[in-house]
Amino acid sequence: MIENDIFKALADPTRRAIFEKLAGGGMNASALREGMEISQPAMSQHLQVLRSANLVREERQGRFVHYEVNPDGLALIAQWLAKYRAYWPQRIEALKVLLRDMDQ
Amino acid sequence: MIENDIFKALADPTRRAIFEKLAGGGMNASALREGMEISQPAMSQHLQVLRSANLVREERQGRFVHYEVNPDGLALIAQWLAKYRAYWPQRIEALKVLLRDMDQ
DNA sequence: GAATCGCATAAGTGTATGCTTATCTGTTAT
DNA sequence: ATAACAGATAAGCATACACTTATGCGATTC
């Protein structure tokens, strides 16, 4: 189940940090490591998990591999969230902000 | 970190199923177990995890405990998702549906 | 063409996690 | 009161997971 891959991928704080960093702009794996105190294999493994969850996509560029956010994964979370829209009216004010942001 | 609790809670398919069931209407733990092939202690433990993630809240009713969805947890996921709104324009069509649903 | 670089993969290890069985607490019913 | 019931908690266990070190593999650089 793809939904499972996504939530499992995001359950790790290091992976969320990596994802967040990539959301600020795509870069290669070495650049991602800067200031993150994480070994090269660990980074590679995390990126693999994020990739198979469709949260990140890669593109070979010579001997570098460029990574960037894959919106597909985010869209699936949004879909999951939408299933529970019945519970939103109670917090409609907080949500209005989200809606405006998204609808820009 | 609360955000961590939420994603960790949702990383388990059984807990997502429990949450989904509760989203259809609050009920007590025994009722939740019906048709779910899960032991009583396992259900109790899952509910505890969902509870500490603010995805679910409980209310004692005599010797039963009524459980229901807690919108707070959902709101936090929405907030997390909103951070990546920069990636939404690429899928704005799919998102429009979500927006309409939420803004009802 | 040999060394280096960017990254992936393999294998091993400690810890976290989800389950089980057993037991305990608190509430209702007899 | 005591038995039955709803649910929580404890302890143990098997598996999953995130990390480590070591090595492999292409691509570049010298």
Side-chain angles (χ1 to χ4, degrees):
Chain A
M1 194 203 307
I2 276 188
E3 196 176 76
N4 200 48
D5 292 336
I6 293 187
F7 282 115
K8 270 193 156 50
L10 292 173
D12 182 75
T14 303
R15 275 195 293 269
R16 285 200 306 280
I18 294 171
F19 181 80
E20 193 146 353
K21 201 162 184 179
L22 278 181
M27 65 185 87
N28 59 51
S30 298
L32 266 173
R33 286 183 61 204
E34 281 168 24
M36 276 207 71
E37 199 142 345
I38 184 178
S39 72
Q40 180 269 314
M43 174 60 79
S44 183
Q45 288 159 14
H46 280 309
L47 285 170
Q48 182 53 43
V49 173
L50 288 169
R51 190 177 172 281
S52 42
N54 282 316
L55 284 164
V56 148
R57 61 186 165 206
E58 68 182 59
E59 187 188 352
R60 263 256 149 192
Q61 292 182 348
R63 71 178 154 175
F64 297 83
V65 176
H66 181 83
Y67 283 95
E68 61 183 15
V69 165
N70 182 352
D72 291 353
L74 290 171
L76 267 167
I77 300 179
Q79 278 177 32
W80 182 89
L81 203 56
K83 285 193 294 185
Y84 309 107
R85 59 181 183 274
Y87 290 94
W88 284 115
Q90 302 172 37
R91 321 204 117 247
I92 200 66
E93 283 316 310
L95 196 62
K96 283 268 174 64
V97 180
L98 172 66
L99 292 169
R100 260 198 308 277
D101 287 346
M102 283 178 154
D103 204 16
Q104 57 178 331
Chain B
M1 192 203 310
I2 276 187
E3 193 175 79
N4 200 48
D5 292 336
I6 294 186
F7 282 115
K8 268 192 157 49
L10 293 173
D12 182 75
T14 303
R15 275 195 295 268
R16 285 200 306 280
I18 292 170
F19 181 80
E20 192 146 353
K21 201 162 182 178
L22 278 180
M27 65 186 88
N28 59 52
S30 298
L32 266 172
R33 285 182 62 204
E34 281 168 24
M36 275 207 70
E37 200 142 345
I38 184 177
S39 72
Q40 180 269 316
M43 174 60 78
S44 183
Q45 288 157 15
H46 280 310
L47 285 170
Q48 183 53 43
V49 173
L50 288 169
R51 190 177 172 281
S52 44
N54 281 315
L55 284 163
V56 148
R57 61 186 165 206
E58 67 183 57
E59 189 188 351
R60 263 255 148 193
Q61 290 182 348
R63 73 177 153 174
F64 297 84
V65 177
H66 180 83
Y67 283 94
E68 61 183 14
V69 165
N70 182 352
D72 291 354
L74 290 172
L76 268 167
I77 301 179
Q79 278 177 33
W80 182 88
L81 203 56
K83 287 193 292 187
Y84 308 107
R85 60 181 183 275
Y87 291 95
W88 284 116
Q90 304 172 35
R91 323 202 115 248
I92 200 65
E93 284 314 313
L95 196 60
K96 283 267 175 65
V97 180
L98 173 66
L99 292 170
R100 260 197 308 276
D101 286 346
M102 283 178 156
D103 204 15
Q104 57 180 327

